Each structure stands twice: as C-alpha cells, then as structure tokens.
Amino acid sequence: MADFLPFHVPDIDDEDIEAVVGVLRSGWLTTGGKARQFEQEFAAKVGARYAVALNSCTAALHLALEAIGLREGDEVLVPTMTFAATAEVVTYFKAKPVLIDCLPDTLNMDPDLLERAMTPRTKALIPVHFAGQPCDMARVLDIARRHGLRVVEDAAHAFPASYKGKTIGSIGDYTCFSFYATKNITTGEGGMVTTDDPEGADRIRKMSLHGLSRDAWKRYTNQGSWYYEIVAPGFKYNLTDMAAALGLSQLRKADRFWKTRERYAALYAEGFRDLPEILPVATQDEVQHAWHLYVIRLDMDRLRIGRAEFIDRLQQKQIGCSVHFIPLHLHPYYQRTWGYRPGDFPVATHAFERMVSLPLYSKMSETDVCRTIEAVRDLILEFRR
C-alpha cells in the first residue's frame, strides 16, 4: 500500500535550517535586525511602503483594527466563509462582526450584499481572499470609499497574489498575511501587516510590543538606551528573529513555490475536467491566484455518497484532505451571541456541505498530485448515479 499523503507538509530545506541556526548562534533570538530585514524585503515584494512583522495574522488583523480606531459598538462587515480569526478580532473591541454571504463561483464575499448590511455603526470591512484568489477589490474599494469605511484585507491565503496587476498587500488600507505552518511561505507561526500609512504602521509597531516607544527592542543593543516610555496599553505580538530568519529564507523561494502550486492546480483542473460531479472554485481572469488551497465541491445529486463518507474513503486511499471552512454562522458562538441561523447565508451553507480541500503544496511531487486525482476519480466513478 502507498504511504499516506498528508494534507500539507511545509517546504523546508537546508537553507532554511541554516538561516535559523545562524540566528541561534548569533546570541540574539527575539525581535531584532532579522525581523526588520524581513519587514523591508516583504514590503518591497508586495509593493507597500511599510510592513510590520508580527507573531500571527490574527495579531495583524487585531492591530490593524486598533490602528483604524475601532471602538465598542462599531460594526465590521466580514464574510461568513472564513476562519475564526477574521471575525473574532472584531469582538476583541466589543464590536459586532456583521456576516456576509459569499459568491457561488469564487466563494469570496459577495460585494452586492455589502451596502444592504451597512448601518450608521459600520466602521470597516474585511475582505478575505478565499483560497488565495483575490476578491473584486475595485468594487470593494469603491463601496468602502463611498461610505467612508476602512478596508482591512485578510490575505492569510493570498501571498503571492495580485488583482488587475496590483499586488495583494498594496491595495487596501491595511493587508494582513499569515506565515502559519500550512501557508505558502512559513515562519512556523507568524504574520505581517502592510500599509502605506506611516502613522498606522508606527502605531501597529508600538502596539505590537506593550505600547513601548519606538524601537524599544534596541535598548539591549549598543544602539539603544535602557530608557523607554509606554505610550499606550499594548500587546505582545512581536515576531522573533528566529522566525524572521526562516521567513527571509522562504521569501526568496516564494515565486518558485507559487509556480509549483499553480502547475499542480492546473493538473487538478485538467484531471477533473470531464467529471460533472466535481465543481472547482472558479478562477477569475484578472487575478493571480496564490493557490493556497485547491477546493472542489461535490454535486451531491449526481452521487450516491455523502461528503463525510467521501473524505473517509479518500483517507482510506491514503490521501489526506480537509474542509475550508465551516462558515461562521454555523458555529454555536455566532448563533448564540449574534442570533445567526443556518439558513441566513444559503450560498455559503450550500457550498460548505459539498466542499473538500485536496492536498496542494510545493513539497508534493507531480506523482502525488496524479495519485490524488486517480483516487478522487475512482470514488466518483464508483459512486456516481
């Protein structure tokens, strides 16, 4: 029997390991020169003026909302088709996440629903680039600007990606990235926020380390002083130099990683093209898809098998898979706290009940992809009506 193919394995090589070892040998482990270098190179990569390295994308979202002045009682428009972090950061401020249904083709937030969900309390919106495909940012920005709203992009899936030739990271007011272990580049745990606003970047930097005055990390170096000032009650969100060194090494291979993902996504698309039982997520022409995830939806009317059993059968065939995501309105907290019900967002609910995420990562081989295609095809042919 073939070995089990995990849903994800990070693409770590000897260069990455040596980069981290170099920091370990340097004697400086926490936030320092490597973190600053990572910020500078990442900002240059995405075309932003400023970048602040943090210990998660959740931290990036939190501090971006803090920087725009989100307050108790405010509302933020958030897609229901997303991970917990996108909306939970809104609740940190005792503000309300107002959920929005998704488009049936891309599964990104439906721009047509934004204006009808607004109230006088609406302060911002958070578009999520689902699976790595950018949202229709022209429409999102137009709506936001007409209503005086701030745009904080959740780009946890979307590096490297672009929309109409403009890199994700250089479009919204703030853009938040993830370097979690499963992401296209990784620091193990980590995140980044990019912006063109110098005051916002400075605020995020201060708030990421207890609200200490600028460059407080230098106080233990020959460039710094023991003296510091607390300018606001901040948080502990800084990224270590160990993580940043890994990020720098990964960043320099990001284009190669992406090209491999794109090639494997094309193999999947071709492998399932003749199967009406499988509906892939549509890809728009005006974007560069980051291909963080490859998501298919099963046409249950054409199959004699449920989604849960389909996943179990794939596991039995030694293929790891997952589901992205359980929409927020289906979770007990959002139902109990905000009164959402399963029928409130029919497009997201319908998609969720049929979604399966297949393995897609640069550490895979083409043989792994073909093996996954074969396993999926075998199940479809066995259980089609």
Side-chain angles (χ1 to χ4, degrees):
M1 180 180 290
D3 291 338
F4 182 75
L5 177 65
F7 176 70
H8 179 80
V9 176
D11 199 339
I12 303 294
D13 62 17
D14 287 343
E15 288 181 356
D16 299 319
I17 294 168
E18 285 304 313
V20 177
V21 170
V23 171
L24 292 172
R25 287 175 173 151
S26 75
W28 185 275
L29 306 185
T30 189
T31 305
K34 287 294 182 184
R36 295 297 173 261
Q37 184 183 354
F38 187 29
E39 291 171 344
Q40 292 163 4
E41 293 193 18
F42 192 86
K45 181 70 174 176
V46 302
R49 290 179 66 191
Y50 306 101
V52 182
L54 302 163
N55 61 14
S56 70
C57 186
T58 305
L61 290 164
H62 183 191
L63 294 188
L65 293 178
E66 201 278 338
I68 67 169
L70 194 67
R71 296 291 182 266
E72 181 175 353
D74 289 342
E75 295 178 354
V76 179
L77 306 185
V78 177
T80 190
M81 184 63 80
T82 189
F83 184 59
T86 313
E88 79 181 24
V89 293
V90 176
T91 69
Y92 294 174
F93 299 87
K94 297 183 179 180
K96 179 182 179 180
V98 176
L99 303 185
I100 305 293
D101 210 346
C102 62
L103 293 162
D105 53 356
T106 64
L107 305 185
N108 276 329
M109 185 167 63
D110 187 344
D112 288 342
L113 304 178
L114 293 173
E115 289 180 289
R116 70 185 72 170
M118 291 179 189
T119 75
R121 295 182 297 277
T122 305
K123 178 86 172 187
L125 56 90
I126 306 179
V128 176
H129 306 303
F130 178 81
Q133 176 161 221
C135 297
D136 186 347
M137 290 304 296
R139 289 200 62 201
V140 168
L141 287 173
D142 174 65
I143 292 167
R145 299 305 178 236
R146 283 193 284 108
H147 292 274
L149 305 181
R150 306 301 294 276
V151 176
V152 176
E153 294 173 65
D154 183 336
H157 294 179
F159 178 77
S162 62
Y163 171 79
K164 294 186 176 181
K166 197 165 177 62
T167 306
I168 297 299
S170 64
I171 300 175
D173 295 308
Y174 297 89
T175 308
C176 303
F177 295 89
S178 173
F179 308 130
Y180 181 65
T182 61
K183 296 304 191 290
N184 291 24
I185 68 169
T186 185
T187 59
E189 295 277 2
M192 189 81 74
V193 59
T194 61
T195 184
D196 285 346
D197 179 5
E199 292 183 2
D202 189 55
R203 176 71 178 183
I204 289 171
R205 190 176 303 284
K206 288 185 174 76
M207 295 302 284
S208 73
L209 194 60
H210 304 297
L212 270 59
S213 50
R214 187 179 180 86
D215 285 342
W217 61 271
K218 287 183 179 178
R219 68 186 186 278
Y220 295 124
T221 74
N222 60 7
Q223 304 173 46
S225 165
W226 59 267
Y227 184 77
Y228 62 89
E229 294 179 329
I230 298 171
V231 297
F235 306 92
K236 186 69 168 66
Y237 283 161
N238 55 303
L239 189 73
T240 69
D241 265 19
M242 290 183 291
L246 177 56
L248 278 164
S249 183
Q250 290 264 299
L251 183 62
R252 291 158 189 165
K253 294 173 282 195
D255 289 337
R256 173 166 61 83
F257 290 167
W258 172 75
K259 288 176 183 176
T260 301
R261 286 174 175 270
E262 183 188 42
R263 180 162 56 90
Y264 290 169
L267 288 174
Y268 275 138
E270 183 61 33
F272 303 140
R273 194 178 305 280
D274 63 333
L275 298 179
E277 296 86 357
I278 291 181
L279 178 65
V281 175
T283 304
Q284 303 300 302
D285 292 336
E286 69 270 22
V287 307
Q288 175 181 300
H289 199 311
W291 291 116
H292 172 56
L293 300 172
Y294 192 86
V295 177
I296 62 172
R297 285 165 290 171
L298 304 174
D299 188 338
M300 308 313 301
D301 293 334
R302 296 174 179 266
L303 294 169
R304 297 177 290 104
I305 189 174
R307 194 265 304 273
E309 187 180 356
F310 186 89
I311 290 174
D312 287 342
R313 294 275 184 153
L314 274 182
Q315 299 272 12
Q316 291 170 23
K317 290 177 176 289
Q318 303 298 301
I319 304 295
C321 56
S322 190
V323 174
H324 297 84
F325 293 101
I326 304 172
L328 298 180
H329 71 281
L330 299 180
H331 290 284
Y333 170 78
Y334 290 91
Q335 295 180 3
R336 182 178 66 248
T337 307
W338 309 110
Y340 291 115
R341 295 292 176 260
D344 289 347
F345 305 99
V347 178
T349 300
H350 183 273
F352 159 67
E353 292 170 347
R354 293 155 176 79
M355 291 163 60
V356 180
S357 297
L358 301 177
L360 180 63
Y361 48 96
S362 54
K363 193 75 168 178
M364 293 173 70
S365 67
E366 192 168 308
T367 300
D368 293 330
V369 179
C370 293
R371 185 178 141 206
T372 303
I373 292 170
E374 182 181 2
V376 171
R377 291 186 64 88
D378 286 348
L379 285 175
I380 295 296
L381 296 177
E382 180 180 355
F383 290 101
R384 68 177 12 159
R385 291 187 186 277

